[in-house]
Amino acid sequence: MKIIHNLITYIIIASAIFMVACGDSERKYDRSKEQAARLSMLNDSIGYANSNFLKACDSMIAIAQDSLDYYELLLAKGEVYTVINPVDSMLYYANLTLAFTDRCKDKGQRINGIASKAYSLKATYYHQLRQNNDSAIVLFQKAYKTALQSDLKECAADMAANTGDAYIFKDDLPKGAEWYRRALYLADSLNMPEKSTASIYMGLGRIYTQMQDYTTARKFYEDAERRYDIMQPNMRIYFLNNYGNLYYYMHDYPNALKMFLRMKAEIERQQGADGNNANDINLCRINLADVYLNLGNTDSAQVLVEKCEPFFRKYNIEAAIFYINTIKIGICINKNNLNCVRNIIESENFSYPIENTLKSIRARYMKRYYLMIGNYDKALEIIEKTRSEEDSLAHNKMNMRANEIMLRFTADTLKLHHQIAINKKNDEMKAAHLTIAIVILLMVILLLGALYLIIYIRKRRLQEQLNVVNLRLENARQRISPHFVFNVLNQQIGQSHENDNTLIEMSNLIRSNLELMSKSYISLTEEMEFVDNYVSIQQKLMGNSVHYTKDIRCDINNVLIPAMIVQILVENSFKHGLKAVEGEKMLTITICQENMITYITVEDNGPGFDCRRQSISSTSTGLKVVRQIISLTNSNNKAKMRFGIANITSSEGTITGCKATLTIPNNIKYINNKTITSK
């Protein structure tokens, strides 16, 4: 299993930089929520490595607020080199971090987590470059044990799988399977997400492939395939590589070719057209070369070998060089160039043991070679060695089955203890939750009580205020009503012999006036009915010279206004305007709406409004009441009523009348003794 833990996209880089700036530097050994979120993003973004990431990583390191932040980010930078060149840079960052953790006297959980990842990165160097698998195993096991004592316990499953992977490269398949099973049980006990367990299924599939138990191997790969969409990007490459190997060992070369081509496309999608010319793309090229060779396409195999060989020789990855030489031997055999085969074999000198899977591939080509040159003894020796290896595989299978049984027994025991601990923890949590629930309930009751008291006090104050306002309005209305009645009666008494029905109309008008006095606010329709009756009486009193016109341009049924406010303006038009006019007397009331505002205009053709012409006896009661009503109503509204009075002038500048205008917003709120009413 490849050991790649990180690498982030551009968006995640920006988020991580912000989180570094927000990190909690005061708590030296505890990871803050921001730091934990940043670390989670780094782990979840494995596989998106590029040069921009390295620059961004340097920026984050420069603003790290404490040493733990610094070394976590340093490891993230080191892990980039697991997929890009120079791959040996990962060893530098691992050693630098381990030197820091060794100096720390107080090994808190967070420091152990950092040390665990540093051990893993260093082990990856030895494992990935095939230089020292024994050292890799020791380091992976250290990473595993340290992770169990850290705040990154979920990483212990990966460390166990990595250890199993290293054992596989030593051809110790039973041990490899044991560690992979341990990783799987640990992941289950920690309830890790499926994307974390996908790599474990792949590792088990690889082991069973090498054990030639292809049915079981395929089952594990199919389980992993169902998790393909949620796999981390580098795990997808690893999965396609191993799945292709399964078909290769089954000698199903067409399906192997499909898998390796998928692998190539995935690498190019993640890392660019040439896959950063790093380990992944060159490993894919070797696999494709071997498959093309077995499909008879020797030229394609040779082109791919020539592309990948310089990379592996540059970093002296001996296992890969051995595999390349094996493919070159196959190419030479296909071209019947037997001297070339001999030259390749004689030039080899490897420092480290080569894994059995690569030796078995070499054996197939060498058997053909020895048969072609007539060295049947060597060919027979290879056949006997192959049988011996098959016997060894059978023995390994038996050991692996025994190890699995013991591991399952151990895992079941651990699960039992784990379940007991969980139940105890659940009981403690339930008690804590009950206490918290009671405290929250008491706080809610107190809060609701306080809110009720505040609302009650505010409501009471508002009601008192409304009562005062209503009394003032009623007082104003009572002042205007007798004034209005006496004005009409004084005129009527003197002319009663000429208008027999006028007293009846007057009686109806007084009755309507008394009804309106009981209401603070009425509809504009009711107001206009009262105004019509009033104007009708005035027309009889003043003769046919009064011409009354209404221009209503909107629906007034739902328009609410203060009672008698229009009547006061009409009365003022008669009293101070039309009485002074000789000849035709014109009274016009216009009502319209625009932009959620109602406009009411009362116009006459009198001498106009001039406060200097007001008689000494005039109290201007009507206009005072109008302004007082508007002032009281506006005191409880954001939207304001407006009143204005102005003279009408001709084009020559002479005054031809007076116009009073009321402006009433449609959302005005009116007050009475019981409630607030919206227009």
Side-chain angles (χ1 to χ4, degrees):
M1 171 179 165
K2 294 182 182 176
I3 324 299
I4 304 175
H5 300 288
N6 40 35
L7 315 181
I8 59 182
T9 58
Y10 296 113
I11 295 175
I12 294 178
I13 289 170
S15 301
I17 289 175
F18 172 77
M19 290 181 180
V20 170
C22 298
D24 182 4
S25 60
E26 295 179 1
R27 302 183 65 187
K28 185 175 179 181
Y29 297 113
D30 292 335
R31 183 176 284 104
S32 68
K33 291 182 179 179
E34 292 82 4
Q35 290 165 332
R38 183 198 67 231
L39 186 62
S40 177
M41 283 194 298
L42 290 173
N43 290 334
D44 288 343
S45 56
I46 295 173
Y48 294 101
N50 50 54
S51 58
N52 289 321
F53 170 79
L54 293 174
K55 294 177 182 177
C57 207
D58 287 335
S59 299
M60 288 188 282
I61 290 171
I63 63 173
Q65 295 184 357
D66 60 42
S67 57
L68 300 187
D69 271 342
Y70 174 84
Y71 283 102
E72 279 184 347
L73 294 167
L74 205 65
L75 283 174
K77 183 178 179 181
E79 289 166 351
V80 177
Y81 293 105
T82 58
V83 291
I84 66 175
N85 295 328
V87 291
D88 52 357
S89 295
M90 69 178 87
L91 184 62
Y92 167 77
Y93 292 106
N95 286 334
L96 198 62
T97 304
L98 287 172
F100 162 74
T101 58
D102 288 341
R103 291 195 304 270
C104 294
K105 295 181 180 180
D106 300 325
K107 297 287 195 298
Q109 286 195 348
R110 188 178 175 194
I111 291 178
N112 283 337
I114 294 172
S116 173
K117 298 192 76 176
Y119 283 131
S120 178
L121 182 60
K122 187 172 182 178
T124 301
Y125 171 77
Y126 290 118
H127 176 66
Q128 187 166 304
L129 298 184
R130 308 290 193 270
Q131 293 195 6
N132 191 332
N133 275 313
D134 289 330
S135 295
I137 289 172
V138 171
L139 289 166
F140 278 138
Q141 289 179 345
K142 274 189 177 182
Y144 169 76
K145 292 176 182 177
T146 311
L148 290 176
Q149 299 173 1
S150 74
D151 55 354
L152 300 175
K153 291 182 176 61
E154 65 278 3
C155 293
D158 283 337
M159 308 306 180
N162 295 341
T163 306
D165 219 24
Y167 272 115
I168 292 172
F169 278 98
K170 280 194 65 178
D171 294 317
D172 191 345
L173 298 182
K175 273 290 185 182
E178 176 189 336
W179 277 93
Y180 263 109
R181 289 288 185 183
R182 182 177 301 186
L184 189 58
Y185 288 132
L186 185 60
D188 289 342
S189 65
L190 293 174
N191 294 319
M192 293 174 63
E194 286 190 340
K195 68 178 181 180
S196 300
T197 59
S199 60
I200 301 174
Y201 285 111
M202 286 184 272
L204 287 167
R206 181 180 178 190
I207 291 172
Y208 283 100
T209 297
Q210 291 186 230
M211 298 291 293
Q212 297 180 7
D213 185 352
Y214 301 130
T215 302
T216 305
R218 190 163 187 169
K219 176 182 175 299
F220 281 116
Y221 284 128
E222 287 173 352
D223 286 340
E225 177 85 62
R226 286 191 287 271
R227 296 166 173 79
Y228 186 83
D229 290 339
I230 60 173
M231 286 182 193
Q232 294 175 341
N234 67 303
M235 286 297 105
R236 294 180 183 178
I237 297 170
Y238 176 63
F239 165 74
L240 295 171
N241 176 72
N242 286 1
Y243 210 168
N245 285 338
L246 170 65
Y247 286 118
Y248 174 84
Y249 289 120
M250 293 172 64
H251 305 296
D252 185 354
Y253 300 116
N255 277 321
L257 179 62
K258 289 179 182 178
M259 284 297 170
F260 291 136
L261 288 175
R262 277 181 65 188
M263 177 184 176
K264 179 175 179 290
E266 184 69 32
I267 293 169
E268 290 175 347
R269 186 182 67 80
Q270 293 182 28
Q271 303 174 15
D274 62 349
N276 292 331
N277 196 29
N279 189 68
D280 290 338
I281 191 65
N282 287 296
L283 177 60
C284 181
R285 287 167 180 164
I286 295 179
N287 292 335
L288 283 170
D290 200 1
V291 172
Y292 280 127
L293 186 60
N294 282 278
L295 288 172
N297 192 343
T298 306
D299 291 338
S300 295
Q302 186 166 354
V303 169
L304 289 167
V305 166
E306 290 172 356
K307 278 188 176 182
C308 65
E309 185 173 7
F311 172 82
F312 292 116
R313 290 198 179 277
K314 177 180 178 181
Y315 295 103
N316 194 31
I317 304 176
E318 292 189 346
I321 295 170
F322 180 86
Y323 192 14
I324 287 172
N325 285 347
T326 299
I327 298 170
K328 290 167 73 174
I329 288 171
I331 293 171
C332 292
I333 291 172
N334 283 359
K335 293 183 176 181
N336 204 24
N337 187 353
L338 303 182
N339 289 331
C340 173
V341 176
R342 185 171 56 254
N343 292 335
I344 292 172
I345 295 171
E346 290 175 353
S347 67
E348 289 183 331
N349 182 23
F350 297 110
S351 304
Y352 300 98
I354 303 299
E355 60 188 277
N356 285 337
T357 52
L358 295 179
K359 288 180 180 178
S360 64
I361 296 173
R362 170 74 67 92
R364 286 194 291 111
Y365 291 111
M366 292 305 297
K367 183 174 68 174
R368 287 178 57 196
Y369 167 72
Y370 287 125
L371 290 173
M372 290 176 70
I373 65 173
N375 191 342
Y376 300 110
D377 290 337
K378 279 287 187 181
L380 182 60
E381 182 182 329
I382 291 174
I383 293 172
E384 289 176 350
K385 189 175 182 180
T386 302
R387 287 176 181 173
S388 176
E389 289 173 354
E390 289 176 353
D391 292 339
S392 177
L393 282 175
H395 179 71
N396 282 340
K397 286 181 183 179
M398 292 177 62
N399 288 340
M400 191 165 66
R401 297 300 181 192
N403 286 339
E404 285 180 6
I405 292 171
M406 291 302 298
L407 189 60
R408 284 190 184 126
F409 175 77
T410 304
D412 290 341
T413 304
L414 289 173
K415 281 186 178 179
L416 178 61
H417 289 299
H418 185 62
Q419 189 61 47
I420 292 171
I422 288 175
N423 291 339
K424 183 179 179 181
K425 203 70 175 178
N426 286 340
D427 291 339
E428 294 174 355
M429 290 293 291
K430 286 179 182 178
H433 289 162
L434 180 61
T435 303
I436 293 171
I438 292 172
V439 172
I440 291 174
L441 181 61
L442 290 174
M443 292 178 66
V444 169
I445 292 173
L446 290 174
L447 180 61
L448 290 176
L451 288 174
Y452 175 79
L453 184 61
I454 292 171
I455 293 171
Y456 174 77
I457 293 173
R458 291 185 63 185
K459 184 176 180 181
R460 187 168 181 177
R461 287 179 180 174
L462 179 61
Q463 188 63 49
E464 290 174 354
Q465 181 183 3
L466 294 180
N467 290 339
V468 171
V469 172
N470 196 61
L471 287 173
R472 293 173 69 183
L473 287 174
E474 291 296 328
N475 178 56
R477 202 176 311 287
Q478 289 172 8
R479 288 169 61 195
I480 192 65
S481 295
H483 177 75
F484 154 70
V485 172
F486 291 138
N487 283 345
V488 176
L489 284 177
N490 287 337
Q491 295 179 56
Q492 181 59 23
I493 290 171
Q495 303 179 25
S496 60
H497 63 282
E498 297 178 1
N499 300 282
D500 296 333
N501 296 326
T502 305
L503 287 176
I504 297 174
E505 293 180 7
M506 185 63 195
S507 174
N508 292 334
L509 190 66
I510 293 173
R511 185 179 295 107
S512 298
N513 178 252
L514 292 173
E515 290 177 0
L516 294 180
M517 284 178 61
S518 65
K519 302 177 182 179
S520 298
Y521 303 96
I522 62 174
S523 70
L524 187 51
T525 300
E526 293 178 279
E527 177 78 3
M528 289 307 299
E529 289 175 356
F530 184 82
V531 169
D532 290 344
N533 292 335
Y534 172 75
V535 172
S536 176
I537 292 174
Q538 290 290 9
Q539 284 177 321
K540 291 182 179 180
L541 293 174
M542 299 178 70
N544 295 328
S545 61
V546 177
H547 297 281
Y548 173 45
T549 304
K550 290 191 297 181
D551 184 7
I552 300 175
R553 306 172 188 173
C554 58
D555 182 10
I556 63 174
N557 289 326
N558 297 321
V559 179
L560 199 65
I561 64 171
M564 296 185 67
I565 194 168
V566 178
Q567 187 276 334
I568 293 172
L569 299 180
V570 172
E571 182 182 359
N572 273 351
S573 290
F574 278 106
K575 181 179 178 181
H576 302 294
L578 298 180
K579 282 186 178 181
V581 175
E582 297 293 338
E584 297 293 327
K585 300 175 176 57
M586 309 296 295
L587 176 67
T588 303
I589 299 177
T590 304
I591 302 173
C592 64
Q593 287 186 348
E594 184 178 348
N595 296 328
M596 302 296 291
I597 298 175
T598 301
Y599 297 91
I600 304 172
T601 304
V602 178
E603 299 182 37
D604 62 61
N605 64 337
F609 175 77
D610 187 349
C611 60
R612 295 173 297 177
R613 294 205 307 266
Q614 298 292 321
S615 64
I616 297 175
S617 61
S618 175
T619 61
S620 299
T621 301
L623 294 182
K624 288 180 181 178
V625 170
V626 168
R627 291 190 173 98
Q628 189 174 18
I629 290 172
I630 291 174
S631 176
L632 291 173
T633 302
N634 285 346
S635 67
N636 291 279
N637 285 279
K638 290 183 179 179
K640 306 297 184 183
M641 292 177 60
R642 296 285 185 267
F643 170 68
I645 186 167
N647 291 326
I648 303 171
T649 58
S650 65
S651 58
E652 291 81 12
T654 59
I655 297 174
T656 60
C658 181
K659 177 170 71 172
T661 303
L662 276 172
T663 302
I664 306 175
N666 286 9
N667 60 347
I668 200 81
K669 295 180 180 178
Y670 298 113
I671 55 174
N672 54 43
N673 284 333
K674 297 180 180 180
T675 185
I676 297 178
T677 306
S678 295
K679 177 183 170 187

